Amino acid sequence: VSPWHQPILSKGVQGATPPVYCLFNGYEETLFVPTQETNDHFKIVFTGRLLSLGMRNPHLLFDALASTELQELVTAQKLGIYWYVDDHSKQLLQHLLASYPERIQRLQHFCPMVPFEQVPKVLSESSLILLLNNREESNGPHGIVSTKIFEAMAMQKPILSIPGDGAISDAILQRANVGTSCTSSDEVMQFLKACYRSWQKNGYTCTENADRAYIQHFTRQNIACAFARLTEKVWRASCSTPSRIEQIKPK
């Protein structure tokens, strides 16, 4: 699912032509169309599932919001975190939130998961899109690039990735210039403050300096075209080489 897997898969096809290619899943450009809607609340939005807090854990966000530096922002009652999750994820989050002050718990809004075709509208109404992931470690996950990162990039909203993977996903976000990966509550705090100021000024947020051409590279149409070119290349190579059957000489 990512370039990390290419050398591993290549070991099973050593000497094969062509080599192992990587085509990202990308996003459906007919659905994930950026729109800027003004909102009287600063909405942090997460869509998806949390299988475990070991895999996805938002504590850095909660730690930042619980800090004294953001106390005025929190008590202004203009900020909310909207979780579009299943019941299991909700239980995990509520268990984690039990150790935080009530003012942080009041910021949380739990919503039912929405059908895929409704996700773009949910993201378009957000002020900040939250992504949860893992740091890559020797004994941990590797090469995970969720489709959610491409869908979030397509909506041209600021993206907060915590704690970041320190690898491929972070590199994609940095190249697209659409958000940040934070490994500490202080980094989360600074990013939140910047996004909140932008929302206060305009009534919405937008990744104005994003690399649009790079993001377009991940549309399903472009990825399908890349797959078609690869298929054609393989077909042409096979036509120029005698088939396995033709190479077998009768005894």
Side-chain angles (χ1 to χ4, degrees):
V1 295
S2 77
W4 182 84
H5 296 83
Q6 287 180 270
I8 295 175
L9 294 173
S10 296
K11 293 178 182 178
V13 289
Q14 286 183 352
T17 302
V20 175
Y21 292 87
C22 174
L23 299 176
F24 286 105
N25 198 19
Y27 66 93
E28 178 51 62
E29 65 273 21
T30 61
L31 288 177
F32 292 87
V33 180
T35 57
Q36 306 305 335
E37 301 182 19
T38 57
N39 200 316
D40 58 0
H41 278 74
F42 185 89
K43 298 178 67 173
I44 301 173
V45 169
F46 176 87
T47 62
R49 290 183 172 90
L50 284 76
L51 299 179
S52 72
L53 293 178
M55 285 292 292
R56 293 178 174 178
N57 194 318
H59 75 89
L60 288 178
L61 174 61
F62 298 159
D63 291 348
L65 292 170
S67 66
T68 55
E69 190 169 340
L70 292 186
Q71 186 170 357
E72 183 177 345
L73 184 152
V74 170
T75 55
Q77 298 184 345
K78 290 290 185 178
L79 181 148
I81 307 175
Y82 292 77
W83 302 94
Y84 291 83
V85 295
D86 61 5
D87 289 338
H88 174 70
S89 304
K90 179 180 177 180
Q91 292 174 7
L92 289 175
L93 290 165
Q94 288 177 329
H95 178 73
L96 177 63
L97 284 162
S99 61
Y100 286 88
E102 186 178 346
R103 69 179 187 275
I104 305 303
Q105 298 180 34
R106 285 197 299 265
L107 299 176
Q108 316 303 317
H109 302 269
F110 293 100
C111 312
M113 295 189 72
V114 297
F116 174 73
E117 61 272 12
Q118 294 180 21
V119 172
K121 179 171 175 57
V122 169
L123 297 183
S124 69
E125 295 173 347
S126 70
S127 307
L128 179 65
I129 298 175
L130 176 65
L131 298 179
L132 302 177
N133 44 43
N134 283 83
R135 302 293 291 178
E136 286 202 5
E137 298 177 354
S138 56
N139 296 321
H142 288 83
I144 297 177
V145 182
S146 170
T147 305
K148 292 185 179 300
I149 190 173
F150 303 116
E151 295 170 352
M153 285 161 50
M155 299 309 295
Q156 299 182 14
K157 293 287 185 177
I159 298 171
L160 171 61
S161 175
I162 50 177
D165 65 353
I168 301 167
S169 291
D170 286 3
I172 291 173
L173 278 181
Q174 184 177 13
R175 176 71 173 79
N177 198 27
V178 291
T180 187
S181 298
C182 297
T183 58
S184 70
S185 59
D186 184 65
E187 291 176 342
V188 174
M189 187 190 313
Q190 299 307 320
F191 186 66
L192 274 178
K193 288 164 63 175
C195 293
Y196 192 83
R197 285 194 298 267
S198 177
W199 168 77
Q200 283 182 311
K201 177 181 178 182
N202 302 311
Y204 63 89
T205 58
C206 178
T207 53
E208 297 178 356
N209 299 317
D211 189 331
R212 313 291 185 210
Y214 177 71
I215 295 172
Q216 283 287 316
H217 175 74
F218 298 105
T219 64
R220 292 275 169 83
Q221 180 178 356
N222 283 335
I223 291 173
C225 288
F227 181 71
R229 289 192 297 269
L230 176 59
T231 304
E232 183 179 22
K233 181 178 180 180
V234 173
W235 179 78
R236 291 184 181 278
S238 65
C239 288
S240 62
T241 304
S243 69
R244 177 65 176 163
I245 295 177
E246 292 172 345
Q247 294 179 47
I248 299 177
K249 296 180 181 180
K251 294 183 180 179

